[in-house]
Amino acid sequence: PKEGKGLADMTRAWRGAMAHIGDAFATADSLGRIHAGLDSWVAERLQSVTPGSVQREINSVVSVLRWASRRYRIGWHIETPELPEHKANTKHPFTRAEQKRLVKACRQWDDGVAAAILMMLQGGMMPSEVARLDVEATVESLVANNPHVLIGFDGAKTKTASRRRIVPVVVETELVREHLVDGIQWAASVKDPSATIKKR
């Protein structure tokens, strides 16, 4: 990836792995050093993150090493370290009945957090995207004939370029108009807005 979170994640993983492999010439004889470094790095990472996260990181690092081996004909056959068995968490979307219950609850809460949740529901937004909404642009777009929210415009960051979009506000429009600015300011001011949202 050329920019954004993908680049930052890959760069962090690469630097972590290289700190364990060490600085050396890339030769066919480096393979033992690479395997020892990867084993050491994976063992360290498993102390602080899930095996699934380690798997993603190791895949990104090993893919670069394998590319380099092919590109420069070094002849490495890199084996990835074994990880503890892990199963990805399955995320199930809300049923229509659950969505209706959520909208009803948001009506009762009638605040900025509720407005943020409503935008997450109808726009597939992440809490970080709510936090990065431009307040002035949002106020302007919400009073339009077809109220909407602009995500990733005017330099606002998104996880990927493909997440830039226009979200029409069609569910609880008045609640969103009244409270979304509070929701943006709240999401931008707390460390982990998703924790409060999950509790609700």
Side-chain angles (χ1 to χ4, degrees), residues 42-63:
V42 164
E44 179 184 276
R45 293 298 289 146
L46 285 171
Q47 301 300 313
S48 55
V49 296
T50 65
S53 295
V54 175
Q55 183 74 66
R56 283 190 297 279
E57 292 177 356
I58 195 83
N59 289 348
S60 73
V61 169
V62 169
S63 69

Side-chain angles (χ1 to χ4, degrees), residues 2 20 36 65 68 72 85 89 91 136 148 153-156 184:
K2 290 186 170 61
H20 284 264
L65 292 171
Y72 298 103
E85 255 187 62
N89 290 337
K91 295 180 181 178
E136 284 182 30
H148 59 280
F153 290 86
D154 289 331
I184 295 167

Side-chain angles (χ1 to χ4, degrees), residues 4 39 86 189 197-198:
D39 289 346
H86 60 282
S189 68
I197 290 166
K198 284 176 186 173

